């Protein structure tokens, strides 16, 4: 069966960095995405909880890692500072390049398809959280999101030309934004939202 709703366009290396959230014309099979996530939860949630308990004093785990620094670490550590302290060096997205055993099934199918177009993908993880994030910037790369379970009132705030723009997501869509744009996330209902998230130094054309 087809992996996605349309052929993915080739990447573009030069984009307008001041644009807001880009919604591509690509969508993925949401039932397959949710089923794959359910398998991960069933098999690995006890492991994630154990790792969270062990690391509460230094950091926390908010999901699952599919491609990271450590191929044996299945927990998604939420802050890069943990790795900087552990390895005693500055960490970039390119350090998150080792597949874990969660890189499999339908996740692998769609990510392999995307990687054919975007070249290298980095720091692939599933973020599962009922909280938001204060305003911050990420880095000189593009951050991609594929929502698996959408929290109804969750939204992304992006600063574009000095103005704050508000964006919502739809399940199964493929979205991205430039990481050095100042942004925050808001989840007023405290309802769990689950996104497949990854980084690339290349961008897909908007729809």
């Amino acid at each position: 069966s087809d992996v996605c709703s349309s052929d993915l366009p080739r990447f573009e290396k030069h984009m307008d960095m001041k644009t807001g959230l880009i919604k591509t014309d690509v969508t993925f099979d949401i039932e397959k995405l949710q089923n794959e996530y359910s398998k991960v939860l069933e098999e690995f949630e006890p492991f994630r909880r154990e790792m969270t308990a062990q690391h509460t004093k230094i950091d926390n785990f908010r999901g699952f890692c599919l491609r990271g620094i450590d191929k044996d670490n299945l927990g998604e550590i939420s802050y890069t500072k943990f790795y900087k302290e552990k390895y005693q060096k500055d960490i970039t997205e390119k350090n998150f390049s080792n597949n874990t055993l969660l890189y499999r099934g339908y996740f692998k199918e769609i990510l392999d398809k995307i990687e054919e177009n975007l070249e290298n993908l980095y720091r692939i993880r599933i973020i599962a959280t009922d909280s938001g994030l204060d305003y911050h910037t990420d880095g000189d790369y593009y951050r991609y999101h594929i929502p698996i379970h959408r929290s109804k009132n969750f939204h992304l705030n992006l600063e574009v030309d000095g103005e704050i723009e508000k964006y919502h997501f739809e399940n199964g869509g493929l979205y991205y934004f430039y990481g050095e744009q100042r942004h925050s996330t808001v989840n007023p209902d405290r309802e769990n939202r689950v996104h497949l998230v990854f980084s690339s130094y290349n961008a897909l054309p908007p729809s």
Side-chain angles (χ1 to χ4, degrees):
S1 59
D2 292 336
V3 173
C4 57
S5 62
S6 62
D7 291 331
L8 283 165
R10 293 295 297 178
F11 66 81
E12 294 182 0
K13 290 191 175 180
H14 302 286
M15 297 286 291
D16 179 1
M17 303 303 188
K18 293 183 179 180
T19 57
L21 183 71
I22 302 296
K23 182 179 186 297
T24 72
D25 59 359
V26 176
T27 57
F28 298 98
D29 188 317
I30 190 57
E31 184 176 350
K32 287 184 178 180
L33 280 169
Q34 292 176 351
N35 286 343
E36 197 68 46
Y37 178 64
S38 294
K39 293 176 188 175
V40 170
L41 273 183
E42 182 178 355
E43 191 171 351
F44 294 104
E45 178 64 8
F47 167 85
R48 189 188 72 83
R49 289 185 180 277
E50 178 184 346
M51 294 301 292
T52 300
Q54 292 177 13
H55 290 79
T56 49
K57 291 185 179 180
I58 54 175
D59 220 318
N60 61 341
F61 290 77
R62 299 190 306 156
F64 299 96
C65 182
L66 282 70
R67 180 175 292 173
I69 292 180
D70 302 319
K71 67 180 180 62
D72 297 323
N73 174 28
L74 307 183
E76 196 285 304
I77 299 176
S78 56
Y79 300 113
T80 306
K81 68 176 183 180
F82 169 83
Y83 292 109
K84 185 174 181 179
E85 292 170 2
K86 180 177 179 180
Y87 295 100
Q88 296 298 304
K89 66 178 183 180
D90 288 333
I91 300 299
T92 71
E93 295 299 285
K94 290 184 179 180
N95 293 109
F96 296 82
S97 58
N98 297 300
N99 290 345
T100 73
L101 57 82
L102 298 182
Y103 192 89
R104 65 184 192 184
Y106 189 58
F107 292 147
K108 182 180 187 302
E109 283 187 54
I110 66 176
L111 291 164
D112 284 352
K113 178 69 174 176
I114 294 170
E115 197 155 34
E116 288 176 8
N117 289 265
L118 285 179
E119 296 184 347
N120 296 320
L121 307 182
Y122 301 101
R123 202 175 188 182
I124 304 172
R125 67 237 200 247
I126 299 168
I127 293 179
T129 179
D130 64 358
S131 63
L133 284 173
D134 292 336
Y135 278 100
H136 64 284
T137 58
D138 292 326
D140 184 22
Y141 50 82
Y142 298 96
R143 180 60 53 77
Y144 286 79
H145 283 247
I146 301 174
I148 299 174
H149 289 288
R150 181 177 71 94
S151 176
K152 183 178 179 182
N153 292 310
F154 169 82
H155 61 271
L156 170 74
N157 292 324
L158 266 176
E159 186 175 297
V160 182
D161 294 327
E163 300 291 331
I164 300 300
E165 297 186 4
K166 178 176 171 181
Y167 299 93
H168 293 271
F169 296 83
E170 295 295 332
N171 282 342
L174 177 60
Y175 303 81
Y176 68 90
F177 61 92
Y178 180 53
E180 289 197 340
Q181 287 180 272
R182 188 166 168 265
H183 59 280
S184 70
T185 57
V186 180
N187 197 359
D189 300 330
R190 304 293 296 189
E191 179 184 343
N192 207 38
R193 55 114 177 172
V194 181
H195 287 200
L196 179 60
V197 179
F198 55 90
S199 303
S200 175
Y201 289 89
N202 295 311
L204 292 169
S207 58

